[in-house]
Structure formats: structure tokens, C-alpha cells
Amino acid sequence: MFSSCSISANCSTFLGRLRHFIDIIDPSTLFVTESRLKECVKLLDDFKQGNLPPGITEHQLWEAQKVKQAIIHPDTGEKIFMPFRMSGKSIERVVGLLLPNQTLASTVFWQWLNQSHNACVNYANRNATKPTPTSKFIQGYVGAVTSAVSIAVGLNVLVEKSSKYNPATRLLIQRFIPFPAVASANICNVALMRHNELSEGIDVLDSNGNVVGSSRIAAKHALIETALTRVALPLPIFVLPPIIMAFLEKLPLMQAHRRMLLPVHSLVCLAVFGLSLPLAISLFPQMSEIEASHLEPEIAMATDCKVLTYNKGL
């Protein structure tokens, strides 16, 4: 049954969060009109106030909740710019990153585009309980993109030069360097785009949703949890496509039509990324919990609640 606590209850388990985030990243929510969004928000407000129009079904309430959570930022109550919503992340950048025979210049360009999009997604889905000055946003963007692109491009150069090494060293580089390099780039991107949270702190809430205080410790937990999701995110992409493509390439149809390899590879990567995204962001609840005793003394003394919550961000 739909209720105001249904979402938090469902998100207390990994499978519950997975079902929830599969809804949130549904690309169809990218095309919701302004009038439809307002209709969903009004329907949910009417539900909270006990003024639901007759004939409204539970399915309509869940659909309204899905639309609102996919589009509206939980801290600001404002729309997240469409390209930077989580529902847009699963359909971006695959083609450019799979272009064959890239030059150093094209590699830098596509990695800059990729990491710029990552930076904007990280910023748009941050904890926004404290305002971020434009100067700090620019500093974070430059640092995040520069470090992430440097790591990613350095990886590509290293892999290209691996042909000069003996077979054992080449195999080690090609198999084990890409994942930690990409994971490191993702961590740098998250940390630098959201570094303002570490200095300003983020709001922590009691069981009634009231702000108890602003905590740097909670901010540190939020960034660590988000960074861990970015480490988990690329893992299936490195593991599954090579296995799937090795099987598909043996099929008579693929051997007879070699030109299909690139588009099929792109589709496989897109499908795997579409799967890995909800799996990664489901590792932790968006509204995470922390014991008050683990926070700053002034916050622990300001409430009788033993457990407080905060928006981890996505």
C-alpha cells in the first residue's frame, strides 16, 4: 500500500533500493512535460494533506512518486537539469568512447566530455542543503575534470605502449590497470565537485524531518559512500562486455557481417551500463542514517534521537 513511509521502508534493503533506482533512472522520465510534473507534485501534496480526488489509484500515486523523485532535487525542491539527471546517465557517451583508432587529441576530447558530464551529474545530484558559491563550483570543475582526464588519458597511453613490453607485463597492464585508473578518476571527480560539503557540512535530520544541525562528519560519510558507488559503477563494464563479445563474435552471423561488431559492442556496453548504474547507486540509501553519538558533540546534545538521517546524494 502507498504511504508516506513506503519509499524509506522499501529502501531499507538492497533489493528494495534496486527496484526504487530502476524506476528513478527510467529514461522515459526525461520526456515528462512541465504540466505532467506539476500534476504529479500536486497529487502527492493532496495525498499528504488527505485531500485525494476520488478515483485515484495506488498505481497513479506510485507513478507520481517516480516522476517527482526522478526530476526534483530532494533538498532544493527544484528540477534537476535534464542532461544531468540519473535517468540521463545511462544513455550518454557510449559511442564517443568506443570510436576506433582514436588519436591523442580525440581521446582527450572525449574524456573531457565524459568527465565534464560526470562532474555536472555529481554536482546536480549532490547534497544541496548548503549553497555552493560559483567560484567554488568552477574550482571544483577545473580540478575534477583535469585530474580525471589526466588519469584516463594516461591510462590510454600506458595501454597503447604496453605492446612494447613482454607478454606477461602487457597482459598485466591491459587487464588490471584500467579499472583502478577509471575508479580513481571517478573518485577525484566526486570529491572535487562536492568538496564544499566537507568544509560547510550538511544538514542532519531527526525522525520528524527537522534539521538538528550541520555536520562535517556526516558530509564525510556522504562523500565516502558516493565515491564507493563510483568505484563499483565501472566494474561490470570492464568484466561483462569482453565475455559477451567473445561469445557473440563466434556466431556465424557476426563472422559473416564484421561491420556489425562496433554497433553490437556499443549496444552491449550500453545495456551493461544500464544494469551497472542502478546496482552501484543501490549500495547505500540516498537518505542514509548515522548514530547521533558519532557526530559532533553539539549535534548529539541537541536532540534526543539516537539515529539521524542525511541526504547522501547520488
Side-chain angles (χ1 to χ4, degrees):
M1 182 178 177
F2 187 90
S3 69
S4 59
C5 61
S6 295
I7 295 298
S8 58
N10 287 340
C11 290
S12 62
T13 66
F14 175 78
L15 288 179
R17 292 193 296 273
L18 180 60
R19 288 193 295 268
H20 169 67
F21 283 120
I22 286 174
D23 268 352
I24 296 301
I25 68 167
D26 181 353
S28 68
T29 60
L30 294 171
F31 308 103
V32 172
T33 63
E34 184 71 23
S35 59
R36 170 61 177 156
L37 176 61
K38 290 180 179 178
E39 178 186 316
C40 291
V41 172
K42 184 178 185 304
L43 186 62
L44 293 172
D45 288 343
D46 288 344
F47 171 79
K48 290 178 182 178
Q49 296 169 8
N51 297 323
L52 269 182
I56 295 297
T57 65
E58 186 174 322
H59 175 73
Q60 288 175 292
L61 289 170
W62 281 111
E63 281 297 310
Q65 183 84 288
K66 168 184 172 178
V67 169
K68 181 181 177 182
Q69 293 190 332
I71 298 176
I72 301 296
H73 194 287
D75 292 331
T76 64
E78 298 177 355
K79 290 200 311 182
I80 299 172
F81 187 45
M82 186 177 71
F84 307 144
R85 298 172 196 162
M86 279 297 170
S87 50
K89 192 169 175 60
S90 60
I91 58 175
E92 50 88 13
R93 83 178 183 265
V94 172
V95 175
L97 295 178
L98 291 176
L99 287 176
N101 303 321
Q102 293 191 64
T103 63
L104 179 60
S106 65
T107 297
V108 170
F109 171 76
W110 285 110
Q111 289 294 345
W112 165 79
L113 192 63
N114 171 31
Q115 294 299 338
S116 292
H117 185 267
N118 284 345
C120 291
V121 168
N122 290 333
Y123 180 79
N125 293 276
R126 72 197 186 284
N127 179 296
T129 53
K130 295 289 183 293
T132 301
T134 303
S135 59
K136 288 198 172 184
F137 168 78
I138 294 173
Q139 290 172 10
Y141 171 79
V142 172
V145 173
T146 300
S147 60
V149 169
S150 299
I151 293 171
V153 172
L155 158 68
N156 285 348
V157 172
L158 181 61
V159 170
E160 286 176 4
K161 291 184 177 181
S162 66
S163 58
K164 301 178 182 179
Y165 301 114
N166 62 63
T169 304
R170 183 167 64 249
L171 184 65
L172 182 67
I173 291 174
Q174 292 177 342
R175 288 192 175 179
F176 296 103
I177 296 299
F179 173 68
V182 172
S184 299
N186 289 347
I187 291 172
C188 287
N189 202 313
V190 169
L192 290 170
M193 286 307 299
R194 295 179 56 179
H195 72 287
N196 189 59
E197 296 172 33
L198 292 174
S199 58
E200 298 295 328
I202 61 176
D203 287 351
V204 289
L205 313 175
D206 62 18
S207 56
N208 296 317
N210 299 315
V211 177
V212 176
S214 184
S215 170
R216 292 185 179 90
I217 295 175
K220 180 180 178 182
H221 279 261
L223 261 67
I224 290 174
E225 290 172 350
T226 305
L228 288 175
T229 67
R230 298 306 192 267
V231 172
L233 179 59
L235 186 57
I237 302 171
F238 282 105
V239 174
L240 295 180
I243 296 174
I244 296 171
M245 289 306 298
F247 169 76
L248 293 178
E249 287 173 5
K250 295 177 182 179
L251 298 178
L253 178 64
M254 296 299 293
Q255 291 179 352
H257 300 85
R258 305 299 293 178
R259 292 181 180 179
M260 293 176 59
L261 284 177
L262 181 60
V264 169
H265 189 196
S266 300
L267 289 173
V268 167
C269 288
L270 183 59
V272 171
F273 188 84
L275 173 67
S276 63
L277 179 59
L279 286 172
I281 61 179
S282 297
L283 291 176
F284 303 97
Q286 182 170 2
M287 295 303 298
S288 293
E289 296 182 344
I290 188 169
E291 291 186 18
S293 58
H294 293 168
L295 298 175
E296 291 84 348
E298 61 272 20
I299 293 178
M301 292 187 294
T303 180
D304 295 328
C305 291
K306 295 186 180 296
V307 177
L308 302 177
T309 60
Y310 58 90
N311 176 21
K312 169 185 67 68
L314 291 177

